[in-house]
Amino acid sequence: MPVNLVATPAADLYPVPGVRWGITEAGIRKANRKDLAVLLLDEGASVGAVFTQNRFCAAPVQICREHLAKNAGQSLGIRAMLINTGNANAGTGEDGLSRAKSSCIALARELNLSPEQILPFSTGVIMEPLPHDRIAAGLPAALADAKENNWANAAEAIMTTDTVAKAFSSRITLGGVPVTITGISKGAGMIRPNMATMLGFMATDACVAPALMSQLARELAEGSFNRVTVDGDTSTNDSFVVVASNQAKHAPVTSLDSADGKALRAAMLEIARKLAQAIVRDGEGATKFITIQVEGGKTGVECRKVAYAIAHSPLVKTAFFASDPNLGRILAAVGYAGIDDLDQTKIDLYLDDVLVAKNGGRHVDYVEADGQRVMKQSEITVRVVLGRGEASDTVWTCDLSYDYVKINADYRS
């Protein structure tokens, strides 16, 4: 069961003018499930994206990078995206590239576009041939379904081992004009993004200068999806895409440091963080949602090193699952995080409001019953104070349960 997470009702997901989703069942891996989605963009939309840092990246990631580069500065631009679940088209070599390109060609023909105006995305099982014939056969039905208020179905159509569809919306005002932001994501396992999440799509009707879109995507990912981990594995298919349809009638945002730029970025970051945290809350087998806050570092980089060392430790994660305050495991993770000149006598450790360790040793007033009280909660904050400087950073993770092993042992069944 996900940790304090329910799907957002479809009525609470705002349509974004100039952006339409079409969904169908193409039988890509299993019958009778939504597994193919098309995202259609009106002319004039701008796109920015970030992708996995995994060097063994999937065929669709390679093609997306190629198509975005070809469209940089061009008047035609990206006009559609094609997303399938059930098959990652990763580890498939030249044949995988050919099948992904074939899918782009099929959609381009349906829309009278150039294949380079299509971005393909895949998620699912690795090292299996992409059934591009089923994708092509499913396109007419997906296109016939295309509409602006289809975000909830789209969130469901991109799921793999997720148990809850992940989607959020908000509205703000820029220059006196209402602006909509809506986003979806998927992911539950193989989650330690080095850019984004396994798949994420966010759109706004705000007017944003095309030159800003890549920067906006990077900054949103860095503040959200790059701060979550379920199991420490970086996917071959991680992709996060940001779309501005440019249909709101306000003065264009030409700098993210302007008043409107800051307001838009803050509102979009709030949605991105909700999407990223939803992935952790729905982590495979998760029973606890854990915030790891590291303070007092010399740099943000070393704070993240410590936070991820804690978040990735199987011993720490299993202790949280068992509600066992075996908190020396956290201190051990801090110690091996890779800070060579770390002074353990300056480190404080908190579990929520409970001071566990002071100056590197067990606090005189700490009793295990207090630690166990916190460990039994479904949401827990671990706070580490390094005593080295003013920097801080935060990572979100979950526990590691029996069900995580079961889910991944049976993944291809």
Side-chain angles (χ1 to χ4, degrees), residues 197-265:
T197 181
M198 288 188 67
L199 288 181
F201 303 91
M202 184 183 298
T204 178
D205 59 340
C207 297
V208 182
L212 294 180
M213 293 304 296
S214 292
Q215 177 189 351
L216 181 59
R218 286 195 305 272
E219 291 187 8
L220 293 177
E222 189 63 18
S224 59
F225 298 113
N226 277 355
R227 296 295 184 272
V228 299
T229 181
V230 169
D231 48 22
D233 276 325
T234 296
S235 166
T236 54
N237 293 59
D238 285 346
S239 305
F240 174 55
V241 183
V242 180
V243 173
S245 69
N246 295 305
Q247 295 205 6
K249 305 299 182 183
H250 63 85
V253 174
T254 57
S255 169
L256 295 180
D257 292 324
S258 66
D260 280 355
K262 289 178 179 178
L264 179 64
R265 178 173 51 193

Side-chain angles (χ1 to χ4, degrees), residues 25-277:
E25 298 177 2
I28 290 169
R29 182 168 178 81
K30 296 180 179 179
N32 303 315
R33 66 150 296 172
K34 300 180 183 76
D35 58 6
L36 184 64
V38 292
L39 175 58
L40 305 179
L41 308 179
D42 286 358
E43 190 172 354
S46 304
V47 176
V50 285
F51 301 95
T52 183
Q53 300 287 321
N54 192 320
R55 296 301 301 167
F56 217 112
C57 61
V61 169
Q62 297 175 56
I63 292 173
C64 278
R65 286 172 170 155
E66 179 184 321
H67 287 186
L68 284 165
K70 285 184 177 179
N71 278 277
Q74 301 298 313
S75 59
L76 293 176
I78 301 300
R79 293 291 305 281
M81 302 179 204
L82 177 61
I83 306 103
N84 75 267
T85 187
N87 184 301
N89 196 12
T92 49
E94 288 297 324
D95 180 66
L97 289 169
S98 176
R99 288 170 184 256
K101 289 176 181 177
S102 174
S103 298
C104 290
I105 291 169
L107 181 56
R109 285 174 178 163
E110 294 282 347
L111 297 173
N112 196 27
L113 297 173
S114 164
E116 287 76 19
Q117 292 178 275
I118 312 293
L119 298 182
F121 302 88
S122 298
T123 183
V125 178
I126 295 173
M127 289 188 68
E128 291 190 3
L130 181 73
H132 60 300
D133 53 339
R134 297 179 195 171
I135 291 175
L139 288 177
L143 293 171
D145 183 59
K147 46 187 176 286
E148 287 185 350
N149 63 344
N150 222 2
W151 285 89
N153 284 325
E156 185 179 342
I158 65 174
M159 293 166 59
T160 49
T161 58
D162 310 56
T163 67
V164 174
K166 303 165 179 67
F168 299 97
S169 273
S170 69
R171 282 186 172 137
I172 61 171
T173 300
L174 294 181
V177 175
V179 166
T180 298
I181 302 160
T182 300
I184 63 174
S185 67
K186 64 79 52 183
M190 206 175 191
I191 298 294
R192 192 280 167 92
N194 286 329
M195 40 52 64
T197 181
M198 288 188 67
L199 288 181
F201 303 91
M202 184 183 298
T204 178
D205 59 340
C207 297
V208 182
L212 294 180
M213 293 304 296
S214 292
Q215 177 189 351
L216 181 59
R218 286 195 305 272
E219 291 187 8
L220 293 177
E222 189 63 18
S224 59
F225 298 113
N226 277 355
R227 296 295 184 272
V228 299
T229 181
V230 169
D231 48 22
D233 276 325
T234 296
S235 166
T236 54
N237 293 59
D238 285 346
S239 305
F240 174 55
V241 183
V242 180
V243 173
S245 69
N246 295 305
Q247 295 205 6
K249 305 299 182 183
H250 63 85
V253 174
T254 57
S255 169
L256 295 180
D257 292 324
S258 66
D260 280 355
K262 289 178 179 178
L264 179 64
R265 178 173 51 193
M268 296 185 79
L269 181 58
E270 182 180 2
I271 297 296
R273 282 182 173 164
K274 286 182 178 180
L275 292 169
Q277 291 178 15

